[in-house]
Amino acid sequence: MIPKYLDFTYQEGKSIHFAITGSIAFFKVLELIRNLIKRGSSVSCSLTKAAREFVTPLTFKALGCDPVQFDMFSLSETYSHLYPGVDPDIFVVAPATANIIAKIAHGIADDLVSTQLLAYNKKILVAPAMNPRMYNAPQTQKNIQTLKDMGIEIIFPETGDVACGEKGTGRLADILYIYFRILKAIIPQDMDGQKVLITMGPTREFFDPVRFWSNPSSGKMGAALAVAAWLRGAKVTCISGPTDVWLPNDIEVIDVVSAEQMFNETLSRWKDSNIGILCAAVCDFRPKNLHSQKLKKDSIKSSLIIEFEKNPDILAKLGNLKTTNQILIGFAAETDQNFKELAIEKIKRKNLDWIVANKINEREVGFGADTNEVVIIDKYGEIQPISKMSKSDVAWRILDLVNKK
Ligand code: CTP
């Protein structure tokens, strides 16, 4: 469920409590809970009576939830109405019915889940799932607004087909998105207020309508950086070449194809950004002539000769415009043994604060891989080697450095 390049580890040792209420969408939450437990979180849960019509408490016990609560008047757990799980860091209501939302909004405490929610004084996340007519009902909308006003975080449902056969808004949010919202809710927001601009993925330089010049960049490193910065509270904008990486909707993504488009889109947003991280694998050259029709092979006598011209250097341009309040980080993918020296030279030439350099002809490093092995070099030439680790961990460390500055 969780892409390897986004496998952050902050949830390890954290305690998460789930309230399951009466919705068929419960089955999606099972995978979410499994993934949290697999990654070192302790998960507990409580079920409403309606939830138990859909699924048994044993299902959650078998997944590893501990405790699994459903009886308000249990003799073994006298105060379970006050204590969801074991002092959880966060309380997640997913799926949340219109009924539980109404109860939270009005302070109704007439069963285990609603009393636990009333007594809980840390962060609550609510992920509604219901029929679109129930979701759009003014009562529900008003109750959701009340929850928001109380500081409860809403993970808004999606629009599309719902289980009862109707179409509309009310489908439980994407489970991967809920996973990351839980992470974000427990991660310190040490990048709150920062505006981060990221370039990522390859560019494509077309020379006829069906053929282009490019490179194997997957965008995974850029996605890891973007999600890490968002998880830590930053407002993130990505200027992305063609990739199929996953990004949450809260991150603004501007899709581009060519280096020139990437240049224009990045440049126009630089003035309003505090941090620029340029990890796109930009094609340095583009075919000089773009044929409007497909080049027919019979029109080529023996070899096809294409003339290339230089693309603008986005990183150098941003470095040139950089103010003292801005931080600029570049990447350097090299195949040469003296890649560190080449990277240091790039810091100076492009006026950077840091460069992240890697040798891309090593196994499982760089283009397309889920792992990376890099050295991070600052503008004074200080080198910090990062051994081979997941791109998510590399991203986290890069942001640690930026935050210490
Ligand atoms: N970069 C950029 N615009 C370009 C080329 C590169 O913004 N037209 C950025 C990349 O995103 C990366 C950094 O510059 O952050 C280094 O890219 P790289 O291709 O390694 O270096 P170049 O400066 O292009 O030099 P060379 O290819 O000669 O090593």
Side-chain angles (χ1 to χ4, degrees):
M1 175 180 125
I2 296 142
K4 282 198 177 136
Y5 56 92
L6 296 180
D7 209 353
F8 299 96
T9 50
Y10 200 87
Q11 68 284 6
E12 271 176 27
K14 295 284 182 259
S15 161
I16 300 156
H17 188 81
F18 275 84
I20 316 292
T21 67
S23 158
I24 185 62
F26 82 86
F27 77 91
K28 298 182 184 171
V29 177
L30 300 179
E31 200 189 349
L32 173 61
I33 291 177
R34 195 175 128 71
N35 271 283
L36 284 165
I37 293 174
K38 211 169 121 190
R39 284 168 177 75
S41 303
S42 49
V43 178
S44 51
C45 71
S46 38
L47 286 80
T48 61
K49 190 164 178 286
R52 280 182 284 130
E53 296 289 332
F54 288 92
V55 59
T56 67
L58 185 64
T59 307
F60 294 90
K61 193 81 189 166
L63 276 179
C65 293
D66 189 29
V68 177
Q69 304 167 310
F70 55 90
D71 183 2
M72 180 135 97
F73 303 105
S74 148
L75 287 179
S76 58
E77 266 194 286
T78 324
Y79 295 109
S80 59
H81 67 298
L82 299 179
Y83 298 108
V86 187
D87 192 21
D89 298 297
I90 186 168
F91 196 139
V92 185
V93 189
T97 57
N99 187 40
I100 194 68
I101 290 169
K103 284 189 192 178
I104 304 171
H106 297 281
I108 296 169
D110 64 351
D111 66 358
L112 183 74
V113 168
S114 54
T115 46
Q116 286 181 334
L117 280 160
L118 190 61
Y120 190 74
N121 56 11
K122 289 193 260 176
K123 200 173 269 184
I124 299 175
L125 253 65
V126 169
M130 66 196 76
N131 167 278
R133 280 177 287 131
M134 291 174 78
Y135 180 73
N136 287 318
Q139 301 93 312
T140 305
Q141 288 304 310
K142 207 168 162 198
N143 289 337
I144 288 177
Q145 188 56 48
T146 306
L147 264 55
K148 281 172 71 181
D149 295 343
M150 293 192 305
I152 292 177
E153 288 186 25
I154 310 293
I155 306 177
F156 285 98
E158 292 183 345
T159 302
D161 296 330
V162 289
C164 54
E166 292 181 27
K167 277 189 194 342
T169 306
R171 196 170 63 189
L172 185 70
D174 171 21
I175 216 72
L176 192 55
Y177 179 63
I178 300 179
Y179 173 86
F180 281 109
R181 282 289 296 272
I182 294 172
L183 242 65
K184 185 168 163 60
I186 53 178
I187 285 172
Q189 300 295 284
D190 57 0
M191 292 186 76
D192 188 26
Q194 303 278 21
K195 288 186 192 161
V196 181
L197 183 63
I198 295 176
T199 66
M200 56 189 271
T203 63
R204 287 180 181 173
E205 313 298 329
F206 277 84
F207 61 93
D208 80 6
V210 295
R211 300 183 183 98
F212 57 83
W213 161 265
S214 190
N215 60 62
S217 168
S218 60
K220 289 178 181 176
M221 193 63 237
L225 281 157
V227 175
W230 168 73
L231 284 172
R232 294 168 79 146
K235 186 174 176 299
V236 182
T237 301
C238 292
I239 315 295
S240 177
T243 71
D244 53 13
V245 292
W246 183 89
L247 289 172
N249 281 337
D250 306 303
I251 292 179
E252 185 189 13
V253 182
I254 315 293
D255 290 312
V256 295
V257 177
S258 68
E260 198 166 21
Q261 287 168 351
M262 189 175 272
F263 178 82
N264 291 331
E265 297 293 350
T266 310
L267 202 61
S268 68
R269 287 168 179 81
W270 181 222
K271 200 160 60 73
D272 293 327
S273 311
N274 309 100
I275 301 170
I277 310 179
L278 271 55
C279 71
V282 186
C283 290
D284 290 323
F285 305 95
R286 62 172 173 239
K288 203 165 175 184
N289 298 311
L290 172 61
H291 297 267
S292 57
Q293 302 295 326
K294 184 183 167 193
L295 215 60
K296 302 301 282 178
K297 69 173 176 295
D298 290 344
S299 71
I300 310 294
K301 294 270 177 314
S302 54
S303 28
L304 171 64
I305 295 168
I306 300 167
E307 200 181 342
F308 284 86
E309 62 187 359
K310 263 192 174 171
N311 264 325
D313 190 321
I314 310 166
L315 186 60
K317 184 70 183 173
L318 264 50
N320 187 257
L321 297 172
K322 188 170 70 126
T323 64
T324 45
N325 301 325
Q326 289 176 307
I327 292 174
L328 186 58
I329 303 171
F331 272 67
E334 306 285 0
T335 51
D336 210 288
Q337 271 310 332
N338 64 341
F339 72 104
K340 289 181 199 160
E341 289 70 32
L342 292 172
I344 290 172
E345 183 276 319
K346 266 179 208 173
I347 295 186
K348 297 204 175 85
R349 182 160 45 92
K350 304 196 188 192
N351 189 25
L352 310 179
D353 295 280
W354 279 282
I355 199 152
V356 182
N358 62 350
K359 252 183 94 219
I360 49 169
N361 42 0
E362 310 267 304
R363 267 163 56 87
E364 294 172 7
V365 168
F367 282 146
D370 290 316
T371 49
N372 214 348
E373 183 177 350
V374 302
V375 291
I376 306 177
I377 309 171
D378 72 11
K379 58 183 171 192
Y380 309 107
E382 194 172 319
I383 297 178
Q384 186 172 334
I386 306 284
S387 58
K388 191 185 287 180
M389 59 181 71
S390 69
K391 285 187 169 169
S392 49
D393 284 341
V394 173
W396 206 263
R397 280 164 196 245
I398 294 171
L399 297 184
D400 279 345
L401 277 181
V402 174
N403 277 341
K404 266 196 232 136
K405 203 187 165 204

